[in-house]
Amino acid sequence: MPKLQPIQHAFTGGEISPMMSARSDLEVYYTSTKQCRNMVPIVQGPVLANPGTDYWKQVPGTSGRIIGFQLNAATGFVVGISDNGNIYVSDEAVGSLSRELVTNSLFDAGTSGWNVTTGAEGIVVVTDGVLNLDTSIHPLNGWVQVDQLITVSSPGEVHYVKVVPVDGSDTITCQLNVGIAPNGTEYVEETIGADTGVFEFTPTGDFYITLYKPTGEESTKLITEVSSKYVQQASPGVGVSFEHPWTHDLDKIHWAMPPGANAMYLTHPNFPVQRLSYDTDLEVWDFSAVSFVAPPATWTGEKYPRSLCFFGGRLWYGGPDENFYGSVSGSYEDFTIPASDVVASDAVAFTMDKRGEIMWMIGLKNLLIGTTTGEHIVTSESGVIYGGDIAVQQQSAYGSNYCQPIELGNKAAYVTGDGKRLNSIGYEWTAEQWVSDNLLHNSEHLTNGTQINQLLWAQNSYKIIMCRMASGDIVT
């Protein structure tokens, strides 16, 4: 008798689970395959050869993360985070700023590292990280000065010095001098008013940074930061690299880029928030811990935000535990919460009333939060989330692991708590809530024996979700 072989017109079901090999009663059975390796099913029906990947470069270390830094629609960079303690930016990078040269640049340790000199009862004091240069007792004769010797390891390199004053009247000033001796002016001689000052110079050797408040002005000048760095040129074939603080669990790093800014913020539950930024004018990179204004008291020790996203003009951080925070509207590093008279632009702090550590946040139609026990949305009656108008509503109870979610148009994809299932979550108007759906329902075997460590969304050309597995495999 002749052997009949039915024609299979589509493979949109992909590789089907062995547990469904006898389910010929299901429609998906007739659009699936027993095995699909290095091939990609597309929505039109056929399967195509996997488009593959591009080789970037080899860097020291045994494992790491690769993420994209999209500067604009036409320019992007590859960022590699290695377990050897370094973060690398692709070879197209021009240069980078060095690590901080100033000791105690944020005055966290009072005046430690700074030489303090006063006259006629001038006063220098640091309160909550703010340097106070006070000549109010004898304004006609009082003066104060703080200076620090900076050791130069690369003479002839372009250096920058930055001074950040506390917002206030620009009639209150102090003098910034940079030279070869305390209060010397060979390199910089500038007046610091209400605005942050950034000044460029090229020293030939070690130099002093001096803040000087002379006599004749009855008031005080408040400074929150004095920093200095130099430009390091990128190495040919290597690009730009920085030391990073993450000593373990690189897969727990989450990242986000604010709209209209050339910066990327990166979180890890055990380390302070970091910022990678690119100065388009100077064509240099900078990587350092973020110096927040009024950061939450819970961010300390080995407990820091696990996740972050941008939504409603704010930078939102999730964690530690059930706590989440929103920055001042439009000011992504300011978390100042007034004691009273809260307005819509103020920073936000909120503790969820359901147990479950926050694993991820993402902003779509609503601000979505995934915890170890469920999925939630943050809402407000007025449509603007702030301290005086905020509520959290649970949508489902699947729970999530540490993997950062990805945006899929008007939906998001996240990994469940066991690290093996990939769920999508989207708003359904008929249900009037956000509904989760298991994307691996017919292919659960693909993640057996391992777990998903990273999600990637390849929108062009075939709209592929890529799952980087703990085993090193890629599941699409």
Side-chain angles (χ1 to χ4, degrees):
M1 294 183 63
K3 184 177 180 180
L4 299 179
Q5 293 182 331
I7 297 175
Q8 183 163 337
H9 296 279
F11 300 89
T12 52
E15 185 173 315
I16 200 169
S17 167
M19 298 180 66
M20 299 177 66
S21 60
R23 294 301 307 272
S24 59
D25 59 315
L26 298 177
E27 183 178 347
V28 69
Y29 182 89
Y30 297 98
T31 59
S32 302
T33 68
K34 179 180 180 180
Q35 189 177 74
C36 186
R37 295 290 187 267
N38 295 318
M39 304 291 285
V40 178
I42 62 174
V43 295
Q44 289 83 356
V47 289
L48 302 179
N50 193 314
T53 58
D54 289 330
Y55 174 80
W56 177 37
K57 65 178 171 181
Q58 183 175 350
V59 299
T62 58
S63 64
R65 294 280 303 276
I66 293 180
I67 54 182
F69 188 107
Q70 195 67 39
L71 189 63
N72 52 51
T75 306
F77 296 91
V78 178
V79 177
I81 306 172
S82 173
D83 64 356
N84 75 336
N86 287 286
I87 182 170
Y88 300 88
V89 183
S90 56
D91 301 344
E92 295 85 356
V94 176
S96 62
L97 293 179
S98 69
R99 284 294 189 179
E100 181 60 64
L101 301 178
V102 176
T103 300
N104 189 26
S105 65
L106 300 176
F107 304 104
D108 295 329
T111 56
S112 176
W114 294 89
N115 304 310
V116 177
T117 310
T118 63
E121 297 190 74
I123 298 172
V124 175
V125 64
V126 175
T127 304
D128 295 330
V130 176
L131 175 70
N132 186 345
L133 307 175
D134 187 353
T135 58
S136 60
I137 295 179
H138 292 292
L140 297 180
N141 300 307
W143 59 273
V144 296
Q145 174 180 313
V146 295
D147 61 75
Q148 184 173 145
L149 174 63
I150 305 300
T151 301
V152 174
S153 59
S154 301
E157 298 282 7
V158 175
H159 284 62
Y160 294 88
V161 62
K162 179 173 73 172
V163 179
V164 182
V166 174
D167 292 338
S169 171
D170 57 9
T171 61
I172 305 171
T173 63
C174 70
Q175 193 70 24
L176 167 68
N177 296 326
V178 180
I180 59 177
N183 222 12
T185 58
E186 289 84 358
Y187 301 128
V188 176
E189 184 179 10
E190 297 286 348
T191 298
I192 302 300
D195 299 324
T196 295
V198 180
F199 308 99
E200 174 185 331
F201 61 100
T202 305
T204 57
D206 297 350
F207 59 89
Y208 282 85
I209 295 176
T210 303
L211 286 178
Y212 175 64
K213 194 166 191 310
T215 60
E217 189 174 288
E218 185 178 358
S219 191
T220 63
K221 186 61 180 176
L222 305 178
I223 303 293
T224 62
E225 178 182 353
V226 178
S227 62
S228 183
K229 299 181 180 182
Y230 68 90
V231 176
Q232 305 171 113
Q233 295 302 310
S235 302
V238 177
V240 167
S241 65
F242 301 92
E243 294 181 358
H244 69 65
W246 306 301
T247 58
H248 57 84
D249 295 331
L250 298 184
D251 289 319
K252 293 183 179 179
I253 295 171
H254 287 202
W255 62 273
M257 295 187 67
N262 302 327
M264 173 185 290
Y265 294 86
L266 302 102
T267 62
H268 188 290
N270 305 126
F271 298 93
V273 180
Q274 306 289 312
R275 180 183 60 236
L276 176 66
S277 59
Y278 182 73
D279 189 311
T280 55
D281 295 325
L282 304 175
E283 295 187 329
V284 295
W285 291 85
D286 192 16
F287 179 74
S288 59
V290 181
S291 302
F292 290 107
V293 177
T298 54
W299 298 359
T300 184
E302 291 190 356
K303 301 196 74 174
Y304 288 93
R306 176 183 291 275
S307 59
L308 76 167
C309 74
F310 289 90
F311 181 79
R314 305 179 193 271
L315 174 55
W316 294 88
Y317 285 102
D321 305 320
E322 292 89 12
N323 306 299
F324 65 91
Y325 308 88
S327 70
V328 171
S329 181
S331 183
Y332 302 137
E333 298 179 8
D334 188 349
F335 285 79
T336 302
I337 299 178
S340 60
D341 300 326
V342 176
V343 297
S345 61
D346 289 331
V348 179
F350 195 82
T351 301
M352 300 175 64
D353 60 4
K354 289 198 173 184
R355 185 172 180 82
E357 184 177 357
I358 294 176
M359 293 284 107
W360 54 261
M361 306 181 78
I362 193 169
L364 297 174
K365 177 180 180 293
N366 296 110
L367 176 59
L368 275 66
I369 296 179
T371 73
T372 52
T373 58
E375 295 70 51
H376 311 257
I377 60 171
V378 183
T379 63
S380 65
E381 290 186 3
S382 64
V384 178
I385 301 171
Y386 72 104
D389 186 4
I390 183 171
V392 176
Q393 301 173 4
Q394 184 166 351
Q395 304 296 290
S396 53
Y398 292 98
S400 301
N401 79 343
Y402 54 76
C403 187
Q404 185 170 9
I406 55 175
E407 184 176 341
L408 308 173
N410 58 0
K411 295 184 178 182
Y414 66 93
V415 180
T416 56
D418 60 2
K420 299 181 183 301
R421 284 188 298 160
L422 177 64
N423 279 8
S424 69
I425 183 169
Y427 188 80
E428 290 194 2
W429 294 98
T430 54
E432 294 186 344
Q433 70 175 50
W434 289 81
V435 177
S436 291
D437 183 38
N438 181 7
L439 296 179
L440 294 177
H441 179 270
N442 299 328
S443 308
E444 92 296 331
H445 66 294
L446 295 177
T447 57
N448 284 344
T450 183
Q451 69 173 31
I452 303 170
N453 278 353
Q454 184 179 2
L455 298 177
L456 302 127
W457 173 233
Q459 181 166 313
N460 299 317
S461 301
Y462 303 115
K463 296 181 172 56
I464 303 169
I465 300 175
M466 306 177 72
C467 304
R468 182 176 62 83
M469 311 303 295
S471 62
D473 294 332
I474 300 292
V475 173
T476 61

